[in-house]
Amino acid sequence: MAKQVDVVIIGAGAAGLMCAAQAGKRGRSVLVVDHGKKPGRKILISGGGKCNFTNYDVTANNFVCQNPHFVKSALSQYSQWEFIGMVAEHGITYEERDHGQLFCLDSAKDIVAMLLKECDMPNIMQQYQVEVAEIEKTSTGFRLLLNTEWVECQSLVVATGGLSMPKLGATPFGYQIAEQFGLKRVTTCAGLVPFTLHKEDKAAFEPLSGIAIPVRAETEDGTSFSENLLFTHRGLSGPVVLQVSSYWQPGQKVTIDLLPSESLPEVLDAMRDKHPNQSLKTALSRLLPKRFVEALIERGDIKDKPLKQFNPKELAALGDYFHQWPIAPNGTEGYRTAEVTLGGVDTDELSSKTMEAKQVSGLYFVGEVMDVSGWLGGYNFQWAWSSGYVAGMNC
């Protein structure tokens, strides 16, 4: 005889636990299963162990999705303010960092503990190290083989996450479930991920590893972000690179304004008036890291000579170069270091109001498994809370 519950949730991450808590509060009997040993693994390592759990400023514009309107309903049903209220209710102290990002003052463990406390009800059960061996549709819902036990439920919620950070146990299982039930998928790739460089660029910039520069970076589709660029042993990283990586396509170049708050021709013109014999290298080293300037000279990208030898046309060309520095990434570091997965279950297959599959009654998808990816800054967690809440209120 199969065990009976109202709701089975596959995945004990941010979205899955949020969904369980809401369904439990409605009096539903809930079983949360996960193939890992413990809940909230991605939460625990996020934000350097401090968990950037949401942002003061959340709109649909902060998400990458083939249907940009899809996120609006869930974000309005459960906004950042509701989650901040829950955090405060549990006595968790937090701080605001740049761009409205909110982090735990103490530890990401506080967020996991809060979610587990919210799920601490007699009608919510959790099981770990569970293999979901089979899923069948029945006339009343679903039948699942969990390890060696059959369980029947009315509603099935898929909260399996994406493919990013495979060390934490990421798998394509959620996409396989979608496929089994005939739901379309948007092609997946790594998002919020560092760039790797072509051989010559890597050789030139690898020695600069650890140097950061505040820049504005723009992709070929016109999307731009202003943040720090970080040189690494493998290529380019830092917040600005992670952000633009979600809008970059292989083979495209990224244009970087290395001096977003200056007009280089004007600055060099003024420097030339005061110190005409000063070299370009010395002048640029007042504005940018010296080692970076030296690397550009060594590559022959710019020519070092006294400022007095530059005519207006050459100064304008320097301005074009530094304000529109072109870099063509070789690729990305992939899912290994990606913070999120782009693509996933096609949102056209789902109700934006409930997260239920339009063609499969009782089947829900929440969080990163679907084609919704947030910017860096707490937006992916907010999507987990919002989509998890909405599914929990309906499953």
Side-chain angles (χ1 to χ4, degrees), residues 38 117 130 146 148 217 320 352 372:
K38 58 182 183 179
K117 201 169 180 186
V130 171
L146 306 177
T148 57
D320 289 345
S352 63
V372 175

Short mmCIF file of all heavy atoms in Angstrom, two decimals, residues 38 117 130 146 148 217 320 352 372:
data_model
loop_
_atom_site.label_atom_id
_atom_site.label_comp_id
_atom_site.label_asym_id
_atom_site.label_seq_id
_atom_site.Cartn_x
_atom_site.Cartn_y
_atom_site.Cartn_z
N LYS A 38 21.60 17.14 3.47
CA LYS A 38 21.02 18.18 4.32
C LYS A 38 20.37 19.27 3.47
O LYS A 38 20.67 19.41 2.28
CB LYS A 38 22.07 18.77 5.26
CG LYS A 38 23.28 19.37 4.56
CD LYS A 38 24.30 19.87 5.58
CE LYS A 38 25.47 20.55 4.87
NZ LYS A 38 26.46 21.06 5.80
N LYS A 117 12.54 26.23 10.67
CA LYS A 117 11.60 26.56 11.75
C LYS A 117 10.20 26.79 11.17
O LYS A 117 9.19 26.37 11.74
CB LYS A 117 12.08 27.81 12.49
CG LYS A 117 11.51 27.94 13.89
CD LYS A 117 12.21 29.02 14.67
CE LYS A 117 11.64 29.14 16.07
NZ LYS A 117 12.22 30.27 16.83
N VAL A 130 17.42 10.68 -0.72
CA VAL A 130 16.32 9.98 -1.37
C VAL A 130 16.52 10.01 -2.89
O VAL A 130 16.73 11.07 -3.47
CB VAL A 130 14.96 10.62 -1.02
CG1 VAL A 130 13.84 10.03 -1.86
CG2 VAL A 130 14.66 10.47 0.46
N LEU A 146 10.19 6.38 -4.12
CA LEU A 146 11.24 7.09 -3.39
C LEU A 146 12.11 6.06 -2.68
O LEU A 146 11.67 5.43 -1.72
CB LEU A 146 10.62 8.06 -2.38
CG LEU A 146 9.59 9.05 -2.95
CD1 LEU A 146 8.99 9.91 -1.86
CD2 LEU A 146 10.22 9.93 -4.03
N THR A 148 12.88 2.84 -2.07
CA THR A 148 12.13 1.58 -2.33
C THR A 148 10.66 1.70 -1.92
O THR A 148 9.94 0.72 -1.93
CB THR A 148 12.77 0.41 -1.55
OG1 THR A 148 12.80 0.75 -0.15
CG2 THR A 148 14.20 0.14 -2.02
N ALA A 217 30.60 47.96 -18.36
CA ALA A 217 30.73 46.96 -19.43
C ALA A 217 29.41 46.82 -20.16
O ALA A 217 28.34 46.85 -19.55
CB ALA A 217 31.15 45.62 -18.84
N ASP A 320 38.80 56.86 -27.42
CA ASP A 320 37.98 55.78 -27.98
C ASP A 320 38.43 54.43 -27.44
O ASP A 320 37.60 53.58 -27.08
CB ASP A 320 38.07 55.77 -29.51
CG ASP A 320 37.35 56.95 -30.13
OD1 ASP A 320 36.56 57.60 -29.42
OD2 ASP A 320 37.60 57.23 -31.32
N SER A 352 1.72 31.84 -14.51
CA SER A 352 2.53 32.81 -13.76
C SER A 352 1.90 33.10 -12.39
O SER A 352 2.58 33.58 -11.49
CB SER A 352 2.66 34.11 -14.55
OG SER A 352 1.39 34.71 -14.74
N VAL A 372 13.97 31.36 -15.48
CA VAL A 372 14.00 32.67 -14.81
C VAL A 372 15.33 32.75 -14.08
O VAL A 372 15.64 31.91 -13.25
CB VAL A 372 12.85 32.83 -13.79
CG1 VAL A 372 13.00 34.16 -13.03
CG2 VAL A 372 11.49 32.76 -14.47
#
